[in-house]
Amino acid sequence: MDNAMFCWQCEQTAGGKGCTKIGVCSKDPDVAKMQDVLIYLLKGIGFYATKNIEKGNKIPREIGEFFTECVFATLTNVNFDGQRFVKYIKEANKVKKQLKESAGQIENVPKDADFIAPETRGEILNIASRPNLGVMDDENLDMDIRSLREFLIYGIKGMGAYHHHAYVLGKYDEEVANFMFKAMGATLDRSLTVENYFDLNMECGKTNLKCMALLDAGNTGTFGDPEPTQMLITKKKGPFIVVSGHDLRDLGDLLEQSKDKGVNIYTHGEMLPCNAYPGLKKYPHLIGNFGGAWQDQQKEFDGIPGAILMTSNCLMKPRDSYKDRIFTSSIVGWPGVQHIETVNGKKDFSPVINKALELGGFPEDEPEKRIPMGFGRNALLSNAGAIVDAVKAGKIRHFFLIGGCDGARPGRNYYTEFAEKTPKDTIILTLACGKYRFNKLDLGTVAGFPRILDCGQCNDAYTAIQVALALAEAFDCDVNDLPLSFIISWYEQKAVAVLQTMLYLGLQDIYLGPSLPAFVTPNILQVLVDKFNIKPISTPDEDLKVILG
């Protein structure tokens, strides 16, 4: 059996070209192949779902949720468990047959829309070696079309992550699900042009804006609006659980189940913003944040005397020193790691809590240190008048949105140096795990505001967008005329979805790094440069000189 794989969906793909032996993320060829099979099935599901919609047939919510979960499961650093993908593939076969039957007679069915996968691991891996599965499914396909097709698929994956987090909080959206069906099904149509795919990518950005608004409503509707908070970043004595990922629902349930148990709860990675939500920080045992960004977890989790819960993407291969104390939930999976299943809509986190109590935790307190965070949409917009007045008075010269995904590849120190070199009369808005490059720096204040304003998770790009639109209205100008620059770091597919949204909104002069996506061809990059003036990052000094004149 051919063991080759091909994956180029993340920023750290091998050699900046593609992983062909094993993923830089530790994804093995077998899991990569099963993900290819699942995505291929989802294309056919998307096609038949769209045909049903065109005939007036409503797609059941459970199919939309299943489709969303499947695309999320193939996102970088989410699920490495081959047996879970076998289950997804079996269920996808059933769903496709159901949709095909309900669609009735259809003309001009694309090649392989009717593809049904085998249902044993060995047979799945054999069929996955077919040349018409995966990214390089047709060596004769125009590379620019392939580039935009994969751009679209990765955007769907990123949006799928946001949609999943929204619907577990009760915010499922049929329009979002229907677009994912339509877009994934369209990738089977070999007649689509570069222009067709460009339009679909822009539509993906438009739909993702709605999806991020949906998730914002789910988070704030359930847990309240984030509020400025001085967050603890040092250790406290006693048993503890570190919660990483993105899922606020899981954290909320864990906090409720662990109250009065004598266990401290720390956020980690992208969970840091949870410390600002009133409905979460009301629990006194949510005491602060542990460690830094996701890519530091193997070092930070090494032998710690506490339990770890991974709630969504950002899982790295667990070291033996903590494999017995790390747990996964929801979409996340790793072979041999205990998974907290959902039973009748609920999860029992007692194994995580008991492991924390068994391990005993930190032996003593560290000297206390706190940093400001929690500058969500409501907090920033409530101060819009003061911000506008400070700009008009010349107290604030410029805003920088410095954020996005963090990663381990060299070159990301650019973002630390950029933040350090921003003038003292400027403000940095930040979000996602890219904040860890500089969020513990003391850059002081300007016009009564901390110079670093942490807006939240990657999906809280919605916050930054809403703030930018509000400022543009206040100044009676276009967003692109504001004293605001976007300095974006990307890593995986949620960043692709956010970029599509920024492009859909017509935002110009985005600085993108640390390297450009391997799946973007020179021709497509030139289109993005011509239409949106996207700029690869250079050096902090050179870029600041251009931005500030």
Side-chain angles (χ1 to χ4, degrees), residues 395-409:
K395 295 178 181 178
I396 299 175
R397 181 177 17 156
H398 204 85
F399 296 88
F400 298 95
L401 175 63
I402 311 176
C405 310
D406 205 356
R409 174 175 286 178

Side-chain angles (χ1 to χ4, degrees), residues 273-348:
C274 296
N275 290 277
Y277 284 88
L280 296 172
K281 72 176 189 175
K282 71 179 182 181
Y283 293 95
H285 63 302
L286 176 62
I287 60 171
N289 192 70
F290 172 87
W294 68 273
Q295 77 275 1
D296 295 328
Q297 68 188 257
Q298 290 177 322
K299 175 181 64 178
E300 292 175 346
F301 295 168
D302 192 15
I304 59 172
I308 306 147
L309 177 65
M310 303 297 299
T311 68
S312 68
N313 54 308
C314 300
L315 174 66
M316 297 179 73
K317 181 180 180 179
R319 290 181 176 176
D320 291 340
S321 65
Y322 62 87
K323 195 172 183 180
D324 68 326
R325 60 201 65 181
I326 188 170
F327 299 78
T328 59
S329 71
S330 186
I331 312 295
V332 196
W334 188 277
V337 167
Q338 185 171 344
H339 187 69
I340 305 299
E341 299 284 356
T342 302
V343 180
N344 297 323
K346 296 183 179 180
K347 296 175 184 176
D348 178 6

